[in-house]
Amino acid sequence: KNEVEQSPQNLTAQEGEFITINCSYSVGISALHWLQQHPGGGIVSLFMLSSGKKKHGRLIATINIQEKHSSLHITASHPRDSAVYICAVDLVKLIFGTGTRLQVFP
Amino acid sequence: EPEVTQTPSHQVTQMGQEVILRCVPISNHLYFYWYRQILGQKVEFLVSFYNNEISEKSEIFDDQFSVERPDGSNFTLKIRSTKLEDSAMYFCASKRDRNQPQHFGDGTRLSIL
C-alpha cells in the first residue's frame, strides 16, 4: 500500500501556465515536504509544511491536515521549472511519493 | 551556503565486492540519513543516524549494510558484498534538528556489474 500518492505522474505545460500537483497521504504526520529533483539526480528541498500555506517566489504549497492532502502550485511556469516534483511525508525519516515529471515548453 | 557533499559521484563495482559511499554532512547538523533510488523508482529510506547510533532502519538495510560516523565529519555507508540489485543512486541527507528540512547531497550512482 502506498502511503504517499501523487498526481498527475506526468505533466506537460506551455510557458506561462499555472501548474498544480497534488499529494495525498494515509498516515498521521508532523510535516510534509515538497522537493525538486533535476535530471542530474540532485534533490532540493522546496517547502516543509505542517499547516496552511507557504509561498516562495512563483511556488506556493498548501496542506490540509484533516483531509491528508497537499498541493504544489507553480504560477507563470517557465521551462527552467522542468523537473520531477516529489512530495514526502515526515515521519522523522522521509517517505517519498513517486514524483510528478513536469515539462514546460516555451 | 553550506552543503552536503558525497563522493564518489559514480562508483562501478563487481558483484560481491565491498563498497563504501562517503558523505560529509553540513557541519552543525545532528541527524543523518541514507536513501536510495533505483532507476525509474521512488526514493526509499535506508537508515537514520543520531547521537552516534542508528535510530531507525528499513527492511532494505539488512546485514550487508552498515553506517559509520568515524571522525565527526564523515558519514559512510558500507555495502559488504554487493548484489546486482544494489545498483541505484544513493543519497545522503542531514538536518540540524527534528523540525528542520533535510539537506541532500547530489548522490552517488552505484553500478554493480
Side-chain angles (χ1 to χ4, degrees), chain B residues 5-73:
Chain B
T5 56
Q6 289 187 244
T7 55
S9 56
H10 191 188
Q11 173 87 41
V12 181
T13 301
Q14 288 288 125
M15 186 172 62
Q17 296 295 304
E18 175 183 285
V19 66
I20 298 175
L21 309 182
R22 300 182 193 280
C23 171
V24 179
I26 295 172
S27 63
N28 62 350
H29 284 193
L30 302 176
Y31 294 79
F32 312 107
Y33 303 85
W34 283 101
Y35 296 88
R36 80 169 186 192
Q37 185 177 31
I38 294 170
L39 188 64
Q41 297 186 22
K42 65 182 180 181
V43 179
E44 302 172 287
F45 168 76
L46 289 178
V47 66
S48 57
F49 193 87
Y50 172 72
N51 203 23
N52 285 321
E53 61 182 20
I54 290 174
S55 45
E56 188 172 355
K57 57 185 180 180
S58 71
E59 294 172 351
I60 303 165
F61 194 89
D62 62 21
D63 292 344
Q64 294 300 313
F65 290 87
S66 63
V67 288
E68 248 191 349
R69 189 155 159 80
D71 56 13
S73 62

